[in-house]
Each structure stands twice: as structure tokens, then as C-alpha cells.
Amino acid sequence: MHVIATAGHVDHGKSTLVRALTGMEPDRWAEERRRGMTIDLGFAWTTLRSGERIAFVDVPGHERFITNMLAGVGPCPAVMFVVAADAGWQAQSAEHLAALDALGVRHGLAVITRSDLADPEPAREQVRRRLRGTGLAGIDTVAVSGRTRRGLGDLEAALARLAAALPPSGTEAAVRLWIDRIFTVKGAGTVVTGTLTGGTLRVGDELDAGPRRVRIRGLQTFGEQAEQVRATARVAVNLRGADRGDLSRGMALVTPGAWLPAQVIDVRLDAGMNHRGDAVLHIGSAAVPVRLRFLGADTARLTLGRALPLRTGDRGLLRDPGRREIVAGLRVLDVRPPALRRRGAAAARAAALAAVDLPDSAALLRWHGLLTGGELTAMGCPPAGRPVTGDWYADPEHWSSLARRLADHVSRRPALDPGITVDAAAQLLGLPDRRLAEALVTPPLAVESGRILPAGRSLPPAIAAAVAELAGDLAEHPFSAPTAERLDELGLTGRTLAAALRSGALTSVGKNIVLLPDALDEAARRIARLPSPFTVSQARLALDTSRRVALPLLECLDARGVTRRTGDGLRVCRPPG
């Protein structure tokens, strides 16, 4: 299916044309039919002779209903622009074209209606001239009469060509369905409609509607029930979990976790905008009041009246609520911009935005420093390259700066200092995840016992001398661990002992049991020569030590997998490998 919006001045025959093409009445309200003027959005569909299925979103042409018009064309990828042969280009023709150009609509078809009442060529030439310099320049033009049906065959052929030229939709993309209509069906409940431009909807899927989690109870497209609907399509969604009063036009149904609700955004504006003050942002089917703050010549920060699910690259436009005119088109650059707290921050931000046309993941990382892959995707720029840890990606310059700060902090700590914990390092550097602090630890740093300290940091001379003297004590009897009194005599207590243990000069096999670093390997070799199973006493004799040392040594060997308890107070040696 393809979805095409109408556009054009009031009373130029848009609804008549849709009616002639589809055989359906797009004007839904009795007031519209009584007045012969479209007030709200209308919907109709047909299957062309080529087999292409086309859905139309018929929009009002009167200036008083421009908000409704923008809600209809906002999500649509293509337009059927209508100008009457007997009236020519009019004020709302110009406003609708400005809106379409601002919204980035680049696919369309110009239709000269009421060609039975006047020569269509002057109007055709007007349209071609007015479209020059816009994204719709060079589109096909067709002359028709909705009343006599002359030219409808040519129009169908042109619609088929337009449909064939439309880019394919990403049916695997995350869903964002802008709601343009809400109603209640007796026995079914709440139903919303919208133009699905990406992703696939399936019965049973869960979606977010603002703060609410809803479930799809049923789907309908082209007036037919469906188990799933793929983009692009007009779709009606029967929802469970929300009442009609909970929803409104301009809200969106989105894939949970795939979008960031944005209330402050940085945007690039069309050149030449001179509007100051408040405005209304039109994007998708939403119309939201915004506070505008200029950053540079063509960049600004918008603070939205309510959060919207937006991504980098989204197109929208601003209207002056007082003068009721379009003041600028815009493209979203950042949906989570940094705060501007310091003097000169706005100018620096403007320079950063000016350096890119449309941000990619590298630009977002330059601006934010650290982001998860999920955040980058939700912001509109899937990550490239490899994460620094887990799902975290980093700007290379920012990552190097963090590493330098951590190394500088650790190197300035006293020699006997036990180092900084990983959690404290994360807090010091303002990191959102302790794994990032661990990933920053590279030579000359190391993590030992949950603390970050210089790798292989040499011991102060006094401690090194004490360790050497202890090594002499253990030379002939390596498992005769020193008593607390001997350690105190050597000065190996408290922070000095902790420093020796951290450096690897000594090892601890239990509470107050200190040995040389190769003691466990030597113990494993001696134990391996014992017959299995063996007792603690046999192990004690083989190690030439006391029970006070033998028990924790055996427990360390158990933990290493060298030995194994058999459950009857005995142990066996595990076979190697």
C-alpha cells in the first residue's frame, strides 16, 4: 500500500477528486457535506488497475483548518497537489506548498482539476513555475475533471508511476504511528488511526502511548481485518489498555524502549527565519507549543510544551500562533542536547551544530561523550564501530581524556595509599556505569581487589627490606608463616603489609597467614606426591608446617581445583587438566 495526502486551496476539488478515484466519501462529518467544504481529515482508498493499492488522506484547504491539514500531511510520504483550472494558484496553494517543502515532502503529483470549466494549461504553467526551487519541482502534472471523469485514466497511470517511484519502507524498523483520529467502537473499545511509515504492527504487540503501555487488540487496513500490517499503510488499531479520553491527535504509538521522549531539542532552521518568541511546532500529526531560543544563524533550541518521540533527522515546521503563518521548516539535530549553563555555552553549541549537516553516531558521541548503543539507535543514529565495554560507546577524544584524568588522579596518591575503588573512580569521573571505570584501567594502572592503583608499583625501600628479611626467614621452611609478633617486629602491619600484598611481594592464604607469592604452587607440588586420599595431618607433615597454616593452605588449593574434599574429612588430588 502507498499513502498519499491531498493538498491545495479550499474548493479546488480535492474531495471530489478522491471521491471520483475511490468511490468513497472522504468527508466524514455531516457539517462538511452540508457546507461542501472539508473541515477535518478524510480517508479513502482504492486499488488501481496496475494493482497498486492507494490510500488517500484528504485534508482541508481553508486557512482556518491549517492545523488539521498539517496533521494529515505530516506523516505522509507523498502528496497529490490540486489546483483548479478555473481559479488558478491561490493563497492556500502557496501555504500548503510552503508546508510541504518545510516538511521535506519530495514525492508528488500535481493535478489540475475542473478542466471542464477552463483551459487547464495556464494553471498547469502556474503550478510548474511555483514548484520551481522546492522539493516538488518537476513532478508530473495531470489535467482532470472530477465531475465528467475526463482524464481519470491518465491520473491513475500517473498515480501508479508515483507509487512505483516511492522509496521502500523499513518494515523491520521501530514503530511510530502518529495518531490522527480516535473513536470508540461498541463491543471493541478504543480505536485509533494513523499513517504507518515504518515497522510492522501485529495483533498482540505491546506499544507505548505516552506514559501508558497498550496492547493491540485488532488491526484493520483497507476496511479489512488483518493479523499484521506492514509500512507504508493507513491503519486502524483497536487498543486494549487506554480509553478514548486517554489519547489525543498528535500522540504516537511507539515500540517500547525504541524512542526517547524529547522535550528539549536542538534543530536546524530554514534560512531566513526572523521570528522571535513562542511558536507552534508541527511534526507528525502533533501541534505543540514551543519556546524558541536561537543558538546560531540557523540553529535553535526548542523547549516543547510536552514530550514527543523524536529522532535526529525528523522534519517539522514552526508556525506563528498569532499571525497564523508558517515561519520556518526545521530538521531535528539532537533530541537530548546538553544544558547551556556556562557563559559562552550557547555559542559553543552553535559552533558544534554548524560543523555537521545531519549528525551521525560519531557526531552524537562528540556532543555527549558516552552513549549506549540503544540510546544511539533511539536517537536516530545506530552505532558504528566497537563499544568500549558492554553496550557503551565513547567519543575517542573524550575517552582518552577520561583515561588521562584517572591515571593522573591515581598517580598523585601516596605510595602506601590502597588506591581508589572502581565505584569511587566512576563517581569521580561522572560515569553512569562502573563498568566504564573498569574499562578505563589500562597500563600503567591495574585493578586489584576492587581498587585501582599503579600496576607493579615499586615498594618503598623500608617495606622492600622487611619483605626481603621475611623471605630469608622462609627460605628453608616456606610454609612456616610468621606470627603476628614477627610481622610487627618487621614493620609489616596495617598499611605497610597491605602495600606488600598489593604489590605481589607477599600473598595471604588466610587470616593472618602470610607467605611468599610462590607458596601455593610449591604446596601443590608437594601435595601431589601424597597418596590419595590423604588427611590434613599427612598434608601438614608434607608441608612441614602447623595445622594453623595447613588448613587455610588446603582450602586455597580446594578453591584452585588442585584438591577436593571427599566428605569424610579426607582429600584427593584432582587429575591435571
Side-chain angles (χ1 to χ4, degrees), residues 4-7 17-18 21 56 78-82 108-109 111 155 159:
I4 299 174
T6 64
L17 190 59
V18 171
L21 282 167
F56 294 97
V79 65
M80 186 166 66
F81 202 99
V82 177
L109 172 67
V111 183
L155 177 56
L159 286 168

Side-chain angles (χ1 to χ4, degrees), residues 244-440:
R244 180 175 180 175
D246 299 328
L247 306 171
S248 61
R249 175 180 288 177
M251 293 180 69
L253 301 180
V254 299
T255 301
W259 300 84
L260 297 180
Q263 196 152 6
V264 179
I265 59 176
D266 283 350
V267 302
R268 173 162 288 115
L269 302 165
D270 291 346
M273 175 180 170
N274 56 16
H275 176 79
R276 294 294 187 273
D278 293 342
V280 175
L281 170 65
H282 293 265
I283 195 163
S285 63
V288 178
V290 298
R291 189 170 68 251
L292 177 67
R293 175 181 179 178
F294 279 91
L295 299 174
D298 64 347
T299 53
R301 176 158 296 184
L302 305 183
T303 303
L304 283 58
R306 63 180 174 88
L308 295 176
L310 302 179
R311 284 187 173 176
T312 295
D314 280 344
R315 296 296 298 253
L317 62 83
L318 295 175
R319 290 182 67 240
D320 183 336
R323 297 166 62 185
R324 294 186 180 180
E325 65 180 12
I326 297 169
V327 295
L330 60 84
R331 176 168 284 191
V332 176
L333 299 180
D334 195 350
V335 297
R336 191 188 281 177
L340 305 175
R341 295 192 179 96
R342 299 178 181 175
R343 183 184 297 274
R349 181 60 173 165
L353 296 174
V356 298
D357 178 30
L358 186 63
D360 57 10
S361 60
L364 290 179
L365 286 171
R366 278 199 306 275
W367 298 344
H368 295 272
L370 296 164
L371 291 168
T372 66
E375 287 172 328
L376 283 165
T377 300
M379 294 168 80
C381 299
R386 299 179 61 182
V388 293
T389 185
D391 191 39
W392 285 101
Y393 291 78
D395 172 61
E397 185 175 337
H398 181 64
W399 189 248
S400 297
S401 173
L402 290 172
R404 288 192 299 271
R405 286 176 57 195
L406 180 60
D408 181 62
H409 177 82
V410 173
S411 67
R412 287 187 285 104
R413 298 175 77 93
L416 295 183
D417 187 88
I420 182 173
T421 66
V422 173
D423 289 328
Q427 185 175 9
L428 171 74
L429 299 174
L431 301 176
D433 189 327
R434 74 185 306 275
R435 292 177 299 171
L436 291 165
E438 292 177 330
L440 285 167

Side-chain angles (χ1 to χ4, degrees), residues 28-154:
R28 296 179 291 118
W29 308 112
E31 176 70 7
E32 293 177 305
R33 292 190 287 274
R34 184 183 67 79
R35 297 171 61 180
M37 181 177 71
T38 300
I39 297 172
D40 203 353
L41 301 178
F43 311 101
W45 53 86
T46 189
T47 301
L48 304 178
R49 283 190 289 269
S50 65
E52 297 281 4
R53 306 182 85 188
I54 304 290
F56 294 97
V57 179
D58 188 34
V59 307
H62 197 283
E63 63 178 342
R64 287 169 51 199
F65 307 115
I66 187 66
T67 297
N68 291 344
M69 177 269 180
L70 293 171
V73 302
C76 287
V79 65
M80 186 166 66
F81 202 99
V82 177
V83 176
D86 60 334
W89 194 266
Q90 298 289 321
Q92 291 310 112
S93 306
E95 184 170 23
H96 283 202
L97 177 59
L100 293 166
D101 197 42
L103 291 171
V105 179
R106 300 294 181 260
H107 300 276
L109 172 67
V111 183
I112 311 303
T113 57
R114 302 215 295 248
S115 62
D116 58 316
L117 301 180
D119 180 4
E121 291 310 311
R124 191 196 301 264
E125 183 54 37
Q126 272 188 317
V127 169
R128 286 173 175 163
R129 186 172 66 252
R130 296 281 186 164
L131 294 183
R132 288 176 192 151
T134 74
L136 294 173
I139 61 174
D140 279 353
T141 59
V142 180
V144 302
S145 168
R147 187 177 64 85
T148 68
R149 303 184 66 82
R150 187 178 69 189
L152 283 184
D154 292 339

